[in-house]
Amino acid sequence: MDWLTEHKLPIGKWLGQGVDLLNQHASDFFDALAMVLETILNSTTAALLWIPAWLLIAGIAGLAWWLHRSWGLVAFAVLSLLLIVNLGYWQETIETLVLVLYATLFCMLIGVPLGIAAAHHPLLYTILRPILDLMQTIPTFVYLIPTLILFGLGVVPGLISTIIFALAAPVRLTWLGISSVPNTLIEAGKSFGCSNNQLLWRVELPYAMPTIMAGLTQCIMLSLSMVVIAALVGADGLGKPVVRALNTVNIEKGFEAGLAIVILAILLDRIFKQPAKQPAGAH
């Protein structure tokens, strides 16, 4: 065992050298990407904060009603958001909401096509599976270090780390949804002369949509779980008061900010969760 320890594989050294090479030869690219992402996030946050809180709350309530036709959800949305305003965390909540929505958007834009491709090409999923396992299980602080080196302090490394952490959910659930399409449906589509693209859009995606939407809500929850960690590298939002409360052992501030995170998580989950289908013949 001593011999094995003495001949340690320099895995960490190789990875460190890779990050250093990227930082040396592609720093302009990462700086430009960070500037673009930061501009998008900051401008969206500023635009939402420019809207009066009561008007934005009314818009969110309207979205909840349009998607679910539930007065209970509308009442919960209004009362919970008013509670956040009352606690004094409206700006932080908007900053967190923007971070989570953009992280979820990028995860879905990358994850859904990857999941579809993996379902159609088993070899690709065999290659992706260990990578996805690594992304989900490696401690988040580990890949927070290279993102911090490449993108610097601010909201961008928090966004990139959140995307890495949450990306596996839409990939896996999209793969699961597409893979579970019954062969009878595929054969029926082919018998009607559907091309591969038509099969995807008319048969596979409609059948897999509930599973894909489950991937969306999972992605939102995973992104919210990164809020506090993202605050450690300079991301604004509800994570900052939690970190400050932890540093000062302030139970009151920590609980209030944590409650705002929980309210936002429940609200986003309820709004974006696909409504349950009514049984046939139900009134």
Side-chain angles (χ1 to χ4, degrees), residues 178 199-210 274 277:
I178 299 295
L199 279 175
L200 174 64
W201 289 101
R202 298 183 181 181
V203 178
E204 293 177 331
L205 283 177
Y207 185 89
M209 191 54 64
Q274 192 173 34
K277 292 184 178 179

Side-chain angles (χ1 to χ4, degrees), residues 52 66 73 89 105 110 120 137 170 207 213 217-218 224 243 249 265:
W66 180 64
L73 180 58
Y89 288 108
L105 173 64
I110 298 169
H120 290 158
T137 55
Y207 185 89
M213 291 302 294
T217 54
Q218 281 284 332
L224 274 167
V243 172
V249 198

Side-chain angles (χ1 to χ4, degrees), residues 244-269:
R244 289 175 186 150
L246 180 63
N247 291 335
T248 58
V249 198
N250 191 324
I251 298 175
E252 176 186 346
K253 293 293 184 183
F255 179 80
E256 289 177 351
L259 179 62
I261 294 173
V262 171
I263 289 172
L264 186 60
I266 296 173
L267 183 59
L268 289 175
D269 178 67

